[in-house]
Amino acid sequence: EGSPRLVGEAKFRLFFFDIYHAALFVPDGRYDGTAPYALQLSYMRNVSSQTIVDTSLNEMRRQGSGGEAKLAEWADWMGRHFPDMQNGDEAMIVAQINGGMALYHNQVKLGQSDEPAFTDAFFAIWLSDNALKPDLSRQLRGLVKD
């Protein structure tokens, strides 16, 4: 098992502000949707935990992931584990072989979920063909060069 290799990266903007730089890493450098893989979000401005939860939830709902009961459970998990992000902070979300995921903030592990449906729904925000920004999603997955 080599060290994780970068697959692709993209800068996510909102209203002309750079929000974070996202990078996808997998052991062999080729993403095919099979765990393990890791998404690194390097924040370029302050974003509150509540904003992270709300935007994640809206996007999961838009993509049709889970029903309202599931979404409420997932919102609760995110609210408990996602901290406020400051400019310069890094979040690393790791999809694990068992189907779960782990959340790290500046290299400190903050949480773990063992629910594959949540893992899939969460990563789909960035990695799905149905992502809000399909071009950025493709860049992240190494499907296009910018």
Side-chain angles (χ1 to χ4, degrees), residues 58-74:
N58 289 344
E59 182 57 4
M60 288 177 181
R61 187 177 282 121
R62 187 190 67 82
Q63 289 190 5
S65 303
E68 285 303 316
K70 272 285 170 226
L71 288 169
E73 259 175 55
W74 299 344

Side-chain angles (χ1 to χ4, degrees), residues 19 43 60 119:
I19 305 294
Y43 280 76
M60 288 177 181
T119 301

Side-chain angles (χ1 to χ4, degrees), residues 45-63:
R45 59 189 296 112
N46 300 351
V47 181
S48 73
S49 168
Q50 190 61 54
T51 299
I52 293 170
V53 173
D54 290 346
T55 53
S56 300
L57 209 60
N58 289 344
E59 182 57 4
M60 288 177 181
R61 187 177 282 121
R62 187 190 67 82
Q63 289 190 5

